[in-house]
Amino acid sequence: MSKESDLAAQLSGIIGYPVTPFRDGGIDTDVLTTVINRLIEAGVHAIAPLGSTGELAYLDDLEFETCVDASIAAVAGRLPVLMGISDLTTARTVRRARYAAQAGADAVMVSPVSYWKLSEREITAHYEAVSDAVDVDIVAYNNPATSGIDMNPELLVSMFERIEHVTMVKESTGDLSRMLRMAELTGGRLPFFNGSNPLVLDALRAGAAGWCTAAPNLRPQPCLDLYTAVTGGEQDKAQAIYDELKPLLEFIVAGGLPTTVKTGLEMLGVPAGAPRRPLLPLDEAGRAELRGLLSL
């Protein structure tokens, strides 16, 4: 049985995902601080640096450490910090987990990234190694579209039950039945967070503890209003907010989160830089569409 976790019991709401700004080939920590402060001042409930939006997969070790340190300093204890630490090997993932925990992260987000397809035994051993190495919460992050590894609800529940620090799940497949299955298998004990932007309304209605999203970088208030409306039982209001927000959510997912969010931030006056190649900035048609979605 996973040990009791105050963070897992209390964490809910909008989890904001900052981009990682680049300048002159390195991390622009000043702009990163600005991006994080914008999210906090907008009212998000936690900060999650170095997710897919933060281009973790494209950072070397020094850049990873720079981003961890700058993010922890920017948040300055105002909100929980869930730090992405995934890597191809268990050894490197453990190293990153230790660094993030020692720097002050409240939890680490782990997705089993692998060139080879992993068995459930290998996935479980990977999470066990991270749990043995740190004394902070672990968010098991299922996003096969980016990691190449799909963890079914039964596996995620098994790790929640067996591995001490696995206390939460971020489910990003866009399959609502998976969330419902996890809730069923654990009697609602396993907190799960929605990571699929277009699915957010259905996920929150189904009992998701919160929404992990980069959208508040561009339009924070509707995101917060949507969560408040659902949790307050104002279902018609929630539907109206979602219907208005949905085109932007679909656009940023289809265009790639670092690419679209960085372009949107630039349009809003935040020089977040271009995504790291092979990712490219939005083309002119994409910029025009995003400008319209942001009413600029």
Side-chain angles (χ1 to χ4, degrees):
M1 179 71 67
S2 294
K3 73 174 187 179
E4 294 295 323
S5 163
D6 290 340
L7 178 63
Q10 297 171 9
L11 186 63
S12 62
I14 304 299
I15 315 301
Y17 280 64
V19 298
T20 298
F22 299 121
R23 182 178 62 183
D24 300 328
I27 308 296
D28 190 330
T29 56
D30 289 339
V31 176
L32 176 58
T33 298
T34 297
V35 170
I36 289 173
N37 279 333
R38 289 178 79 253
L39 288 168
I40 294 175
E41 290 164 5
V44 302
H45 303 98
I47 298 292
L50 296 176
S52 302
T53 306
E55 299 178 75
L56 171 61
Y58 302 133
L59 304 185
D60 63 29
D61 287 341
L62 179 58
E63 290 172 330
F64 167 79
E65 294 170 4
T66 298
C67 195
V68 169
D69 293 340
S71 298
I72 296 291
V75 176
R78 290 176 287 175
L79 292 177
V81 176
L82 288 63
M83 193 70 67
I85 54 95
S86 304
D87 208 318
L88 273 171
T89 68
T90 298
R92 287 173 59 85
T93 302
V94 165
R95 179 188 177 280
R96 286 182 164 186
R98 284 178 171 150
Y99 191 92
Q102 291 168 1
D106 299 285
V108 293
M109 296 182 298
V110 183
S111 182
V113 183
S114 184
Y115 178 89
W116 297 103
K117 182 178 180 180
L118 300 180
S119 68
E120 292 190 358
R121 181 172 66 93
E122 289 167 330
I123 293 169
T124 299
H126 184 69
Y127 279 91
E128 286 174 338
V130 177
S131 182
D132 290 343
V134 298
D135 193 25
V136 297
D137 289 62
I138 296 172
V139 182
Y141 175 22
N142 189 43
N143 190 359
T146 56
S147 72
I149 304 295
D150 191 2
M151 297 183 287
N152 62 48
E154 288 76 14
L155 174 59
L156 290 164
V157 168
S158 172
M159 293 195 297
F160 169 70
E161 299 284 5
R162 293 175 48 194
I163 302 175
E164 181 180 10
H165 293 112
V166 174
T167 61
M168 295 171 273
V169 168
K170 177 185 173 184
E171 172 56 59
S172 296
T173 59
D175 183 350
L176 185 64
S177 68
R178 291 172 178 246
M179 300 182 189
L180 297 173
R181 180 62 174 158
M182 288 188 288
E184 176 189 7
L185 290 171
T186 63
R189 291 183 298 108
L190 171 56
F192 62 88
F193 292 80
N194 172 61
S196 172
N197 281 319
L199 187 68
V200 57
L201 181 56
D202 288 340
L204 292 174
R205 285 172 170 170
W211 177 20
C212 298
T213 179
N217 287 286
L218 305 182
R219 294 199 61 198
Q221 199 57 54
C223 298
L224 294 160
D225 290 345
L226 176 61
Y227 176 76
T228 300
V230 173
T231 55
E234 300 178 276
Q235 297 303 334
D236 290 343
K237 180 178 180 181
Q239 185 69 56
I241 296 169
Y242 173 74
D243 290 343
E244 194 272 333
L245 192 57
K246 184 180 178 183
L248 175 64
L249 300 180
E250 292 178 336
F251 179 86
I252 63 176
V253 171
L257 294 173
T259 294
T260 54
V261 174
K262 283 188 167 182
T263 301
L265 283 169
E266 175 197 329
M267 293 176 177
L268 295 170
V270 180
R276 180 158 283 177
R277 297 191 70 167
L279 301 178
L280 293 173
L282 279 180
D283 59 19
E284 285 306 313
R287 291 176 65 87
E289 184 173 355
L290 180 56
R291 191 174 292 109
L293 290 169
L294 298 177
S295 301
L296 297 175

